[in-house]
Amino acid sequence: MQEKPDQANDGQNTESMPEAGQANGPAVSPAPTSADAPPETTVMPSPEDMLKAAELQAAEHHDAWLRAKAETENVRRRAQEDIAKAGKFAVERFSSELLAVKDSLEAALSSENQSAENLNAGVELTLKQLIAVFEKSGLTEINPLGEKFDPHRHQAISQIEAPDDATEANTVLTVLQKGYALHERVIRPALVIVSKAKTAPAA
């Protein structure tokens, strides 16, 4: 009588054998990927925090504005002081130059028993000193004898007929008083007499 194969043993052996491709030992689960990670949530600041930040920024802007305003006031005050000083001491150099002229005049008057020639020479020297002071200060004289009349620099006192045909109308014939200009700005016009066109002889 033939013996049947031990099916029970075959079944046990089949169950105990690992399946193909299965590693021995405990099963290891795959590592989670970035796609599987939960999304990060953005935390919004609370209204109180936003209000505090806005108040802090406003306070910084206000302080910057106050500093800028104070600096502007300081600049304006210094500018006003400089203008006041410039107006007060504008003639300081001119005045110091005139002291030498005054000294020369006093020296000429203090001399006794001097001749007319010496007195005249002293006056001429003093006049040269005064002219030099004027030139240093930008003060120039206006002596328009023989020039065309300029209403911006001359003041006509009267008009007379030209002495000859060669003299054009509105020509300065006589300078009664010289004028002066300070750096091209007229501070006193010259007083002059000008010529006028000759009248035609009556027929």
Side-chain angles (χ1 to χ4, degrees):
M1 186 172 177
Q2 295 182 354
E3 294 180 359
K4 295 181 180 181
D6 193 357
Q7 294 179 355
N9 292 337
D10 291 343
Q12 291 176 358
N13 293 337
T14 303
E15 292 176 356
S16 62
M17 291 180 64
E19 296 180 358
Q22 181 178 2
N24 295 328
V28 179
S29 59
T33 62
S34 58
D36 299 333
E40 296 181 357
T41 57
T42 304
V43 179
M44 296 295 294
S46 63
E48 291 79 4
D49 294 338
M50 296 176 64
L51 179 60
K52 289 180 180 179
E55 290 177 347
L56 180 61
Q57 188 175 12
E60 292 177 353
H61 290 171
H62 183 67
D63 292 341
W65 176 79
L66 289 177
R67 289 193 295 269
K69 182 180 179 182
E71 182 64 22
T72 303
E73 289 294 329
N74 291 335
V75 172
R76 184 180 62 83
R77 186 177 64 253
R78 288 194 296 266
Q80 289 179 344
E81 292 176 355
D82 292 341
I83 292 173
K85 290 179 180 179
K88 186 176 181 180
F89 300 104
V91 296
E92 181 177 1
R93 180 181 177 183
F94 181 71
S95 300
S96 62
E97 295 287 347
L98 284 179
L99 295 179
V101 179
K102 182 175 181 294
D103 293 340
S104 297
L105 290 175
E106 290 177 346
L109 293 176
S110 63
S111 300
E112 297 180 358
N113 299 326
Q114 60 178 336
S115 63
E117 294 180 356
N118 292 336
L119 182 60
N120 186 59
V123 172
E124 289 182 354
L125 178 61
T126 304
L127 180 59
K128 290 180 180 179
Q129 287 180 321
L130 185 59
I131 293 174
V133 172
F134 285 177
E135 291 177 352
K136 290 181 180 179
S137 302
L139 187 62
T140 56
E141 68 177 21
I142 302 174
N143 186 15
L145 183 63
E147 298 178 2
K148 197 74 174 179
F149 175 75
D150 184 355
H152 300 290
R153 298 170 61 85
H154 314 146
Q155 181 178 351
I157 301 299
S158 63
Q159 277 187 311
I160 61 175
E161 289 189 359
D164 49 50
D165 295 336
T167 303
E168 298 179 357
N170 292 325
T171 299
V172 177
L173 300 178
T174 305
V175 178
L176 301 176
Q177 185 182 72
K178 295 179 182 179
Y180 288 91
L182 180 61
H183 298 294
E184 302 301 326
R185 179 180 179 181
V186 177
I187 60 175
R188 191 182 78 179
L191 300 181
V192 298
I193 298 176
V194 298
S195 62
K196 62 181 179 180
K198 285 188 174 184
T199 57

